Amino acid sequence: MATDPVTAYVTAPQEDAATLARRLVDERLAACVNVVPCESVYRWDDAVHEDEESILLAKTVEKRYDDLRAAVVEWHPHDVPCIERFDAADAHDPFAAWCVSAVEAGGDAETGST
């Protein structure tokens, strides 16, 4: 496809995850965001921390990824949010087309399972 789907992997505090996910979809930066609870163990300021967080899997397209990443940096409560990218090189064509439709301004995407 001309506009290939990509998935942004983002972690966020559980209390902020749903709002962040909704905002990404509302702003058409993501077609869908799956929010999955997780426990994170990480080193920060030379100490090991354990926190309940959420994983956000934000489905978007190549041409919107940089905007999505910038928005997460701006809206995220952490100074250094986890944002990683997965390219969907072998995405199911109908899913890829839906993803493109859902993030294009004015698009009228069909609802479906993601």
Side-chain angles (χ1 to χ4, degrees), residues 88-107:
D90 191 28
H92 181 55
D93 286 341
F95 173 79
W98 168 79
C99 195
V100 169
S101 170
V103 297
E104 288 180 348

Side-chain angles (χ1 to χ4, degrees), residues 31-74:
C32 169
V33 180
N34 300 115
V35 181
V36 182
C38 72
E39 183 176 330
S40 295
V41 180
Y42 59 95
R43 181 174 300 280
W44 185 255
D45 288 336
D46 206 28
V48 176
H49 300 266
E50 294 184 32
D51 288 320
E52 297 294 320
E53 292 191 302
S54 292
I55 297 168
L56 285 72
L57 298 169
K59 288 108 171 186
T60 190
V61 293
E62 172 71 35
K63 68 182 180 181
R64 297 294 281 160
Y65 178 77
D66 289 340
D67 294 333
L68 181 145
R69 183 180 58 202
V72 170
V73 168
E74 180 182 341

Side-chain angles (χ1 to χ4, degrees), residues 6-11 20 23-25 27-31 33 56-87 103:
V6 298
T7 298
Y9 173 94
V10 177
T11 58
L20 182 57
R23 194 165 180 191
L24 290 170
V25 174
E27 298 291 329
R28 291 191 179 271
L29 296 169
V33 180
L56 285 72
L57 298 169
K59 288 108 171 186
T60 190
V61 293
E62 172 71 35
K63 68 182 180 181
R64 297 294 281 160
Y65 178 77
D66 289 340
D67 294 333
L68 181 145
R69 183 180 58 202
V72 170
V73 168
E74 180 182 341
W75 302 334
H76 200 283
H78 291 169
D79 293 335
V80 183
C82 169
I83 308 168
E84 299 180 44
R85 174 183 166 145
F86 301 113
D87 294 325
V103 297

